[in-house]
Amino acid sequence: MNSESLLKPSPLIPASRPEIIQSLIDGVDRYNPDNVSILEEYLGTQLNTEDYDLMANLAILKLYQFNPHLVNEQVINNILVKSLTAIPNPDFNLCLYLLHENALADENVAKLVELQQLLEECKYQEFWKVYESDDSYKELTSDAIGFEDAIRKVILTSISMTYQSISSELLSSYLNLSINDEEFDSVIQSRNLVNKEGVVLVPTNYDNEAKPTVIRENIKFEQLTKVIGYSNEL
Amino acid sequence: MYNEGFAEDEVDLSDEVDLLTPSYGGVEDDLDDDEQIQLMLQQQYAQEIPDVVKNFIIYFHRNVLENNVYELHGIYENSFNRLTEKFYMKTPWPEADFIAPLVNDDQVFLTLYRELYYRHIYSKLSPTIEHRFHSYENYCDLFNYILNSDGPVALELPNQWLWDIIDEFIYQFQSFCNYRNRLKNKTEEEIVLLRDNIQVWSCYSVLNVLYSLITKSRITEQLLVSKHGGDMIEAAGEYGSRPLYKMLGYFSIIGLLRVHCLLGDYTLALKMMDNIELNKKALFARVTACHVTTYYYVGFAYMMMRRYADAIKAFSHILVFIARTKMYHTRSYQFDQINKKGDQMYALLAICIALCPTRLDENIHAHLREKYGEHLSKMQRGEEGLQTFEDLFLYACPKFISPIGPNFEDLNSLIQAIEPHHHHAKIFLAEVRHQILIPTLRSYLKLYTTMGIDKLAAFLEIEPDKLRTQLLIVKQKSRQQKWNSGTLLEGEYVATSDLDFCLKQDMIHIAESKVGRRYGDWFLRNINKFQDIIAGMELRA
């Protein structure tokens, strides 16, 4: 039960990926600029749901990389916003590597990078402070339905990996929810956490267990072939 | 115009390649005078073609006609390089037109010869813009001949040469992209030439060639059959059953791994390898340079995807291989290149080890300490180590390319193009910066089994809240996606650190995993020794 990490890589083939997208990104059709609208449309459905498809989004950025006249800044922003919800997977950076060198200087991209840095550095309270400091951040992420909840999930995973128990006050500040808020209760219940007298208990999992172990050597069958060979000679 | 090649169905793709043959707007005219002067020079210089070179070319031509791969191997790897050292260290080989009479004007041979001719200029001299254009044209001729003749061509070439063709094609593409981006010291004529010939060495044309070779050779189908079984002859088809096509197709896959890395698309780079298994039996291991290239780019892509454990595995595998086979390739003409790549991989390995401390093969570890010991300790020292990360990264990263040329319409942008490797270094270093305090923190955690947050914060002279944040980072960074089975992109998150901990409110509980003693190896070695002794005694008796 505890043998798997809470962290999951972004799926190579998400269950929600339509067949047309699959065949498009598998073949050379992914380089055809005419297909960019199909991929952009698919991004649109990702924005309206919890679905997320890194490979398909990278295919959009690839087309932009080769065909600068296709570039749609709003699409780039939305791809980056979606990849914020995949942290600590490296998706955000994988997208940045594909952008043109000058794109990092873009004001909106710079703001998203700022949010990314705060999340990667686990400065969750600061993240919310910046996010709420000015309407522009909310506007920037408004296309992605449920963005804030998705970020809370990222944070909750990080906390569940590290803590076995945490004061509910601290947790609520990480999640930017008040302790008395019903949402706070429903968020922690969604992860089977228990709020008990001001302390939230996290069930043990692969990541927060911290058991000392001794790594034993592992002898493979191939290493024994010679020895088994000798027994034949007897 | 080139994009259209990709719009077609996959099957038709290769037919589009003939679009590649460039028609240079205005280049021909500009070159006419130059060519005439060159021709005169050549005529003088023709009388100077030494007899031994003339004989070599005749012999070379005969062996190409006879498809004598064994002899061609020697010609390609040894004779050509020996003659280069003797006669052409500072001048180009004789122009193809010039040796044409020696080979009955055999156009296929002349195309192959030009491939060597331009490659020699790139490696020993400095290519002019005309060389770059003509070499591109020559590659188009070569690939058109291979892909668009009626039926498969009868040509056979040594594997090493086939690899070098793909490798050099990509190298010249990368070199051209960087050349095009540096407009500072170019004459107006050169800028006009670049502007009017955007399609030359364009990304689409290069990818088109590589994908066409893959399609034509049906290499993907062949790899699937060799993995899952099936009828190989049927899978390979008319073209793919010939070694020339099969190997060019295979090397194109590795070529795409490289091109996508150069473009910063690391997932797509590794995706190219979906049907290739990384083991010693793989085809890439047949050509040392290809073997080394494969692991360098696989390792690099893993590193950029934060999969340091996988990167370390790739780098150490190939570094062990290079160390073990050193004596065989000291004489190879690629010795220097392989060594350079090896050095770069040690630098990358140092970066990965600093980010993800791991036990290494003993020899590799000793060599790493000797070469980068000082760097390694600097990288453990917090903020001041960042510079070392950057130095090593810039030394060892591939030469990234910016796929679209500068904007010739906007004169300002002509001057201030950002070098693509700074772009990549910047993003990567931001990543490193997050974890720069981890080594210090780890060194404290190692000393205790339980410890209060306040106490540790006091040791580190930071705020308790900041320490909590740091601990969250340590936790996240101690998990990495790691390959276990399947394609290179697959993998699950596992703990990659020997130090683990958890927090119960304000108390840190620390657990360390230790490596148990290894008995198995010792017993195996001694059983073998014992068996040898018995065998020895039996012989005597």
Side-chain angles (χ1 to χ4, degrees):
Chain A
M1 182 183 107
N2 289 340
S3 63
E4 277 181 31
S5 172
L6 295 181
L7 295 179
K8 297 283 172 257
S10 299
L12 296 174
I13 306 174
S16 56
R17 181 186 290 165
E19 218 160 288
I20 176 168
I21 300 290
Q22 181 72 40
S23 68
L24 208 155
I25 58 181
D26 275 350
V28 286
D29 257 355
R30 58 154 47 234
Y31 298 103
N32 183 350
D34 296 340
N35 288 329
V36 77
S37 54
I38 303 177
L39 289 163
E40 286 172 347
E41 221 168 277
Y42 178 46
L43 173 67
T45 58
Q46 293 175 49
L47 289 168
N48 289 326
T49 56
E50 281 190 8
D51 298 341
Y52 169 64
D53 194 336
L54 171 70
M55 302 297 264
N57 297 345
L58 288 174
I60 300 181
L61 296 178
K62 186 81 174 180
L63 280 168
Y64 287 178
Q65 188 183 36
F66 286 174
N67 306 282
H69 63 279
L70 295 177
V71 169
N72 177 339
E73 267 112 21
Q74 175 119 25
V75 170
I76 293 182
N77 290 342
N78 283 336
I79 290 176
L80 291 176
V81 167
K82 264 302 202 186
S83 66
L84 281 179
T85 65
I87 284 175
N89 286 322
D91 304 15
F92 192 93
N93 278 359
L94 296 179
C95 294
L96 284 189
Y97 287 126
L98 278 177
L99 297 184
H100 189 264
E101 295 88 48
N102 299 334
L104 293 191
D106 177 83
E107 197 189 336
N108 287 334
V109 173
K111 280 186 172 164
L112 292 172
V113 169
E114 188 189 358
L115 292 181
Q116 180 228 1
Q117 300 294 328
L118 291 171
L119 283 177
E120 302 258 20
E121 290 172 356
C122 304
K123 295 179 178 162
Y124 304 129
Q125 293 130 329
E126 226 170 296
F127 168 85
W128 294 112
K129 215 191 273 169
V130 171
Y131 177 75
E132 293 183 335
S133 65
D134 153 4
D135 288 341
S136 63
Y137 291 96
K138 280 191 182 166
E139 263 164 47
L140 206 52
T141 56
S142 63
D143 281 354
I145 309 294
F147 174 74
E148 292 178 19
D149 289 340
I151 294 298
R152 287 200 179 98
K153 276 189 188 163
V154 168
I155 295 171
L156 211 51
T157 302
S158 161
I159 301 298
S160 304
M161 288 171 69
T162 314
Y163 285 89
Q164 288 192 1
S165 57
I166 179 170
S167 91
S168 32
E169 206 176 323
L170 184 60
L171 181 61
S172 72
S173 72
Y174 283 149
L175 295 172
N176 200 33
L177 292 170
S178 146
I179 304 187
N180 305 320
D181 197 333
E182 262 175 46
E183 212 186 330
F184 178 70
D185 288 326
S186 72
V187 165
I188 58 174
Q189 271 161 24
S190 71
R191 291 280 180 124
N192 296 326
L193 312 190
V194 186
N195 191 354
K196 216 169 152 187
E197 291 155 20
V199 176
V200 173
L201 303 175
V202 185
T204 51
N205 56 56
Y206 173 85
D207 299 298
N208 74 356
E209 208 175 9
K211 250 195 336 206
T213 46
V214 178
I215 300 164
R216 298 197 175 274
E217 65 180 333
N218 206 347
I219 297 170
K220 291 195 188 115
F221 182 72
E222 291 88 70
Q223 288 173 278
L224 295 172
T225 44
K226 224 172 156 188
V227 176
I228 294 167
Y230 295 143
S231 66
N232 263 340
E233 292 167 17
L234 294 176
Chain B
M1 168 169 110
Y2 293 99
N3 320 0
E4 281 166 21
F6 291 102
E8 302 289 331
D9 287 335
E10 249 182 274
V11 195
D12 293 327
L13 195 76
S14 45
D15 298 328
E16 299 290 322
V17 179
D18 53 359
L19 282 175
L20 294 177
T21 319
S23 54
Y24 302 126
V27 188
E28 302 290 349
D29 301 338
D30 292 343
L31 292 184
D32 264 5
D33 288 347
D34 283 354
E35 264 175 18
Q36 256 159 22
I37 296 168
Q38 266 184 340
L39 222 75
M40 272 157 53
L41 280 174
Q42 273 158 28
Q43 267 155 8
Q44 278 178 355
Y45 163 67
Q47 286 135 15
E48 288 162 28
I49 297 185
D51 281 345
V52 47
V53 175
K54 275 188 196 155
N55 291 336
F56 166 74
I57 287 170
I58 293 166
Y59 176 68
F60 188 2
H61 179 226
R62 199 175 68 222
N63 281 295
V64 168
L65 284 182
E66 291 169 1
N67 279 337
N68 190 339
V69 177
Y70 181 78
E71 281 299 316
L72 282 174
H73 191 81
I75 289 171
Y76 179 74
E77 292 214 351
N78 305 321
S79 316
F80 186 83
N81 292 303
R82 249 198 325 267
L83 289 171
T84 299
E85 267 169 40
K86 201 160 172 197
F87 299 105
Y88 304 109
M89 283 308 273
K90 295 204 171 71
T91 51
W93 274 69
E95 284 244 19
D97 291 342
F98 216 60
I99 60 148
L102 295 175
V103 297
N104 302 325
D105 210 19
D106 178 344
Q107 289 305 317
V108 174
F109 179 80
L110 290 176
T111 304
L112 289 172
Y113 176 81
R114 274 191 214 104
E115 204 270 322
L116 296 177
Y117 169 84
Y118 289 117
R119 183 152 19 127
H120 169 257
I121 291 179
Y122 270 84
S123 82
K124 295 279 191 296
L125 314 164
S126 47
T128 63
I129 188 165
E130 284 84 10
H131 288 135
R132 291 172 191 273
F133 278 36
H134 286 307
S135 179
Y136 172 74
E137 201 176 345
N138 191 59
Y139 274 116
C140 291
D141 289 345
L142 179 62
F143 292 127
N144 263 332
Y145 167 69
I146 291 172
L147 291 165
N148 297 333
S149 295
D150 300 327
V153 299
L155 195 64
E156 273 185 55
L157 295 175
N159 284 343
Q160 176 74 52
W161 191 353
L162 294 175
W163 162 252
D164 287 342
I165 286 175
I166 299 293
D167 188 54
E168 181 73 11
F169 178 61
I170 296 170
Y171 166 73
Q172 292 191 13
F173 161 61
Q174 168 247 304
S175 160
F176 186 84
C177 288
N178 291 333
Y179 169 84
R180 188 180 50 191
N181 267 10
R182 291 191 192 121
L183 291 173
K184 252 187 200 158
N185 305 319
K186 295 208 172 37
T187 63
E188 233 163 85
E189 277 165 46
E190 283 170 328
I191 292 182
V192 169
L193 266 179
L194 287 174
R195 192 187 59 203
D196 294 345
N197 294 285
I198 296 282
Q199 82 285 6
V200 176
W201 286 118
S202 74
C203 272
Y204 270 111
S205 63
V206 170
L207 288 177
N208 202 351
V209 166
L210 298 175
Y211 277 106
S212 302
L213 287 168
I214 290 174
T215 314
K216 202 76 169 181
S217 63
R218 297 179 58 81
I219 187 67
T220 315
E221 290 80 354
Q222 295 195 52
L223 288 168
L224 282 173
V225 165
S226 71
K227 202 154 73 179
H228 304 298
D231 187 345
M232 185 55 105
I233 294 169
E234 198 194 318
E238 190 189 3
Y239 288 87
S241 45
R242 293 175 184 256
L244 178 92
Y245 287 91
K246 180 179 178 185
M247 293 316 281
L248 279 177
Y250 188 88
F251 292 145
S252 296
I253 295 179
I254 310 289
L256 282 170
L257 163 72
R258 175 173 171 201
V259 171
H260 290 312
C261 273
L262 295 179
L263 290 166
D265 198 340
Y266 304 108
T267 36
L268 195 54
L270 289 184
K271 194 168 162 41
M272 289 300 126
M273 302 289 286
D274 268 358
N275 297 307
I276 295 182
E277 281 175 77
L278 283 189
N279 60 36
K280 288 184 190 113
K281 281 178 237 148
L283 282 177
F284 59 68
R286 289 196 197 164
V287 176
T288 306
C290 176
H291 195 173
V292 173
T293 302
T294 308
Y295 276 91
Y296 170 80
Y297 286 102
V298 166
F300 189 78
Y302 273 140
M303 184 179 102
M304 299 304 267
M305 299 176 78
R306 295 189 194 163
R307 297 174 63 163
Y308 307 114
D310 286 327
I312 289 168
K313 197 172 133 205
F315 291 137
S316 23
H317 170 92
I318 195 67
L319 289 170
V320 167
F321 171 82
I322 293 177
R324 286 208 186 131
T325 53
K326 205 160 205 158
M327 59 263 228
Y328 300 109
H329 50 222
T330 40
R331 274 166 304 152
S332 151
Y333 66 102
Q334 285 180 321
F335 178 66
D336 288 340
Q337 248 180 318
I338 289 172
N339 258 356
K340 170 96 194 287
K341 270 272 162 302
D343 274 355
Q344 287 183 318
M345 285 194 279
Y346 271 110
L348 294 174
L349 187 61
I351 292 179
C352 293
I353 286 291
L355 295 175
C356 171
T358 310
R359 184 188 291 263
L360 292 172
D361 171 275
E362 265 171 48
N363 291 326
I364 299 296
H365 189 234
H367 199 83
L368 184 69
R369 286 238 144 261
E370 185 188 314
K371 262 192 133 57
Y372 293 110
E374 214 174 295
H375 296 81
L376 274 169
S377 60
K378 269 191 199 153
M379 286 189 284
Q380 308 287 323
R381 261 185 250 147
E383 287 285 333
E384 57 179 308
L386 276 175
Q387 186 59 43
T388 311
F389 275 104
E390 182 170 1
D391 294 345
L392 289 181
F393 183 87
L394 290 176
Y395 163 70
C397 69
K399 291 206 167 57
F400 294 111
I401 47 186
S402 179
I404 42 163
N407 181 358
F408 291 102
E409 311 305 321
D410 177 5
L411 287 174
N412 281 332
S413 78
L414 292 188
I415 317 296
Q416 38 144 333
I418 304 175
E419 300 279 340
H421 55 266
H422 286 299
H423 174 68
H424 291 258
K426 197 174 152 195
I427 300 168
F428 179 74
L429 289 171
E431 168 70 37
V432 172
R433 195 184 294 270
H434 301 153
Q435 31 195 325
I436 204 75
L437 289 176
I438 291 182
T440 323
L441 209 52
R442 272 174 59 94
S443 64
Y444 276 102
L445 291 177
K446 264 185 182 271
L447 302 175
Y448 298 85
T449 49
T450 51
M451 196 182 198
I453 292 255
D454 290 342
K455 192 168 152 201
L456 183 54
F459 280 154
L460 292 164
E461 296 173 0
I462 56 174
E463 296 290 314
D465 274 347
K466 202 177 163 202
L467 175 60
R468 285 178 187 279
T469 310
Q470 283 297 329
L471 286 169
L472 289 171
I473 301 180
V474 174
K475 189 57 140 195
Q476 294 211 345
K477 299 298 173 190
S478 70
R479 268 48 179 172
Q480 271 175 44
Q481 201 185 338
K482 203 172 166 193
W483 182 85
N484 186 27
S485 64
T487 62
L488 296 189
L489 276 176
E490 285 175 56
E492 294 301 328
Y493 275 97
V494 292
T496 48
S497 165
D498 53 358
L499 192 77
D500 208 355
F501 71 95
C502 68
L503 284 172
K504 291 182 185 165
Q505 297 193 64
D506 293 330
M507 193 55 89
I508 316 170
H509 296 259
I510 302 141
E512 206 177 344
S513 56
K514 293 202 166 73
V515 180
R517 281 194 65 177
R518 294 172 168 268
Y519 303 105
D521 208 40
W522 189 88
F523 274 108
L524 279 173
R525 241 184 308 129
N526 282 289
I527 291 171
N528 286 333
K529 217 174 189 177
F530 181 59
Q531 192 63 32
D532 285 347
I533 294 170
I534 295 178
M537 291 198 309
E538 273 173 357
L539 268 182
R540 269 176 210 216

